[in-house]
C-alpha cells in the first residue's frame, strides 16, 4: 500500500520511524455531472472575480476571510514558521482504557507501518505493550496542514491509528431527544427485548452494500440496452408512515425475524419480567386487559353452551312430534281395519 505520510512515533525517548497508509477505501460508485439535454460534461473553471478570467493552479494561493469579507493572504512560509512539534511526529501523550474514547470522536483510520529494519524492534515493543495493557495510546500528529488528535490500537499484528475529532468539535445533543413526555410500558420493553434476542448477532464481514450492487447492475443494463431504473415506491407505499399500534408492530417484527431465521413464527405470550410493576391505568388501578380477555372468553363459552342446549331441546321437540304423528297414524289404520 502506498504511504501518505512518513514520520516517527514518539514514545517517551524512543523514536519509531513509520509510514502512514490508509486503512480504508471507498467502493462507492462515482458519477459525473453532465448537461442533461446533450450529455456534455460539466466542468468547473477557477476564475478570478476581479479580472473575470480563468487562472491556473500555480497562480492560486490561500487566504483567510475576515468577518467583514476582506481576504487576508496566508502563504506557505507563514504556516511553516508556526511552531508545530508534531509536523513529522506522532507524539504519544497518554495511555487510557479504550472505553474512555467516545465513538463520536472517531474519524479516518490508518495503518502504521515500520519504516525500515531498525524500526522493527521498537515497533514490536509498542505493539506488545499495547496488547498487554489492554489500553490505547492517545497521540497528537499533523497531517494536511493542521494538527490532529489520534488513537493508536492493535489490529492483528499491526498498530492502527484512528484520527479523532477534538473534544470541542463534538456538538452537544441539545434539542435532539424527543420533547414529548412518553411512557414506555413493560410489555413493550419485553417485546423489544424479544425482538433483539430474535435478531441475535451478525458477522459484520457478511454484510455488503446492496445499494451499490443495484447501481452497478442498473448501469450494466443501461450499457447493454438502455434499461431504465424501476419506479421507486413511496414511504407510504412501503408502510413507512406513522406507527399506530406499537405492540402490533413489535409482534410483527418478532414474527418476521423468526421466520427469516427458519424458526416458528408464532409469538409467545409476553409476561412481565419478575420484579417489574404491572402497568397502571389513569385511575391508578392495575391493567385489567388480561381479566377482560378471560371474561370475554367465559361469556363466549357460555353463549356456545346455551346455543347447544337450545339445539338439543329443539331436536327433542322434533323427535316427540314425529313420535306422536306415527302413533296417530297407527291408531287411524287400526280403526279402518276394524270397520272393514
Amino acid at each position: 500500500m502506498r504511504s501518505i505520510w512518513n514520520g516517527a512515533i514518539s514514545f517517551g525517548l524512543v523514536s519509531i520511524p513509520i509510514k502512514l497508509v490508509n486503512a480504508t477505501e471507498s467502493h462507492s460508485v462515482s458519477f459525473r455531472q453532465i448537461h442533461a439535454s446533450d450529455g456534455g460534461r460539466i466542468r468547473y473553471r477557477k476564475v478570478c472575480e476581479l479580472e473575470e478570467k480563468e487562472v491556473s493552479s500555480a497562480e492560486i494561493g490561500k487566504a483567510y476571510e475576515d468577518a467583514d469579507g476582506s481576504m487576508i493572504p496566508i502563504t506557505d512560509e507563514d504556516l511553516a514558521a508556526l511552531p508545530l512539534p508534531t509536523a513529522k511526529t506522532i507524539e504519544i501523550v497518554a495511555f487510557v482504557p479504550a472505553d474512555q474514547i467516545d465513538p463520536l470522536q472517531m474519524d479516518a483510520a490508518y495503518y502504521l507501518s515500520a519504516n525500515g529494519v531498525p524500526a522493527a524492534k521498537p515497533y514490536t515493543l509498542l505493539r506488545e505493550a499495547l496488547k498487554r495493557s489492554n489500553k490505547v495510546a492517545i497521540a497528537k500528529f499533523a497531517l494536511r496542514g493542521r494538527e490532529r488528535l489520534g488513537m493508536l490500537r492493535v489490529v492483528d499484528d499491526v498498530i492502527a491509528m484512528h484520527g479523532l475529532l477534538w473534544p470541542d468539535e463534538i456538538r452537544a445533543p441539545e434539542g435532539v431527544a424527543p420533547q414529548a413526555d412518553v411512557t414506555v410500558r413493560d410489555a413493550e420493553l419485553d417485546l423489544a427485548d424479544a425482538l433483539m434476542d430474535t435478531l441475535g448477532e451478525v458477522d459484520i464481514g457478511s454484510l455488503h452494500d446492496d445499494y451499490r450492487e443495484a447501481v452497478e447492475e442498473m448501469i450494466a443494463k443501461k450499457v447493454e440496452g438502455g434499461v431504465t431504473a424501476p419506479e421507486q415506491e413511496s414511504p407510504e407505499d412501503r408502510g413507512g408512515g406513522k406507527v399506530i399500534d406499537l405492540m402490533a408492530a413489535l409482534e410483527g417484527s418478532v414474527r418476521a425475524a423468526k421466520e427469516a431465521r427458519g424458526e416458528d413464527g408464532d409469538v409467545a405470550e409476553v409476561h412481565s419480567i419478575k420484579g417489574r410493576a404491572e402497568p397502571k391505568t389513569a385511575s391508578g388501578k392495575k391493567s385489567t386487559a388480561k381479566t377482560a380477555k378471560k371474561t370475554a372468553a367465559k361469556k363466549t363459552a357460555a353463549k356456545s353452551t346455551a346455543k347447544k342446549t337450545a339445539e338439543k331441546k329443539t331436536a327433542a321437540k322434533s323427535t316427540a312430534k314425529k313420535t306422536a304423528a306415527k302413533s296417530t297414524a297407527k291408531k287411524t289404520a287400526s280403526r279402518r281395519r276394524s270397520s272393514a
Side-chain angles (χ1 to χ4, degrees):
M1 290 183 279
R2 186 174 63 88
S3 64
I4 60 173
W5 184 90
N6 290 350
I9 300 175
S10 174
F11 177 31
L13 297 178
V14 178
S15 181
I16 311 171
I18 56 97
K19 295 186 292 185
L20 192 71
V21 299
N22 285 318
T24 62
E25 58 185 0
S26 175
H27 292 161
S28 298
V29 179
S30 60
F31 298 102
R32 303 290 187 185
Q33 290 188 323
I34 62 170
H35 189 194
S37 62
D38 57 19
R41 281 282 303 277
I42 301 296
R43 298 182 183 275
Y44 292 93
R45 292 181 170 84
K46 298 176 180 179
V47 177
C48 173
E49 63 180 18
L50 297 179
E51 298 180 355
E52 295 186 351
K53 72 173 186 179
E54 188 176 354
V55 295
S56 64
S57 298
E59 300 175 88
I60 298 175
K62 301 183 184 71
Y64 174 81
E65 185 175 2
D66 205 359
D68 61 1
S70 60
M71 295 295 176
I72 303 172
I74 304 295
T75 65
D76 291 338
E77 289 74 19
D78 293 332
L79 296 174
L82 294 175
L84 189 60
T86 55
K88 281 293 182 181
T89 304
I90 297 174
E91 181 184 355
I92 295 177
V93 297
F95 292 88
V96 301
D99 58 9
Q100 287 190 12
I101 305 301
D102 190 337
L104 282 173
Q105 287 188 258
M106 294 288 193
D107 201 0
Y110 309 93
Y111 290 135
L112 304 182
S113 171
N115 193 2
V117 175
K121 180 65 179 287
Y123 182 97
T124 304
L125 171 65
L126 176 58
R127 183 191 68 198
E128 295 305 311
L130 286 170
K131 281 185 180 179
R132 192 167 72 171
S133 68
N134 289 321
K135 293 183 177 181
V136 297
I138 303 301
K140 295 170 69 176
F141 67 104
L143 184 65
R144 299 188 179 97
R146 71 183 186 92
E147 191 169 56
R148 301 166 186 251
L149 198 60
M151 180 191 77
L152 278 63
R153 68 184 184 96
V154 178
V155 177
D156 295 332
D157 289 329
V158 175
I159 299 175
M161 181 172 70
H162 296 268
L164 298 178
L165 298 174
W166 295 99
D168 61 0
E169 292 179 313
I170 305 297
R171 300 170 63 184
E174 296 176 356
V176 179
Q179 300 301 309
D181 186 13
V182 178
T183 301
V184 178
R185 295 183 297 156
D186 288 341
E188 293 167 337
L189 282 173
D190 293 340
L191 272 174
D193 290 341
L195 177 57
M196 292 168 65
D197 292 339
T198 303
L199 290 175
E201 299 178 356
V202 67
D203 177 11
I204 298 296
S206 67
L207 302 179
H208 59 280
D209 189 345
D210 294 321
Y211 178 76
R212 189 189 79 210
E213 290 183 359
V215 170
E216 291 173 344
E217 184 179 350
M218 177 266 292
I219 292 173
K221 288 182 178 179
K222 276 183 169 286
V223 170
E224 293 175 1
V227 179
T228 57
E231 184 178 351
Q232 297 294 318
E233 293 181 336
S234 66
E236 291 77 11
D237 295 334
R238 295 193 300 267
K242 182 180 179 181
V243 177
I244 303 300
D245 190 338
L246 183 57
M247 289 291 289
L250 287 168
E251 289 174 351
S253 299
V254 173
R255 189 178 298 108
K258 285 187 174 182
E259 291 174 352
R261 294 162 64 94
E263 300 175 5
D264 185 1
D266 292 338
V267 180
E269 184 178 354
V270 176
H271 300 282
S272 296
I273 294 177
K274 201 170 184 179
R276 290 181 178 172
E278 288 290 331
K280 296 183 178 180
T281 60
S283 62
K285 296 180 180 179
K286 290 186 177 181
S287 172
T288 57
K290 291 184 179 178
T291 304
K293 187 175 180 181
K294 290 180 179 178
T295 303
K298 287 180 180 179
K299 287 182 178 179
T300 302
K303 288 181 180 179
S304 178
T305 303
K307 187 177 179 181
K308 290 179 179 178
T309 303
E311 288 176 350
K312 286 181 179 179
K313 287 182 179 179
T314 303
K317 287 180 180 180
S318 178
T319 303
K321 190 175 180 181
K322 289 180 180 179
T323 303
K326 287 181 179 179
S327 177
T328 303
K330 285 181 179 180
K331 288 180 180 179
T332 303
S334 177
R335 289 173 183 170
R336 287 177 179 174
R337 282 196 300 268
S338 298
S339 61

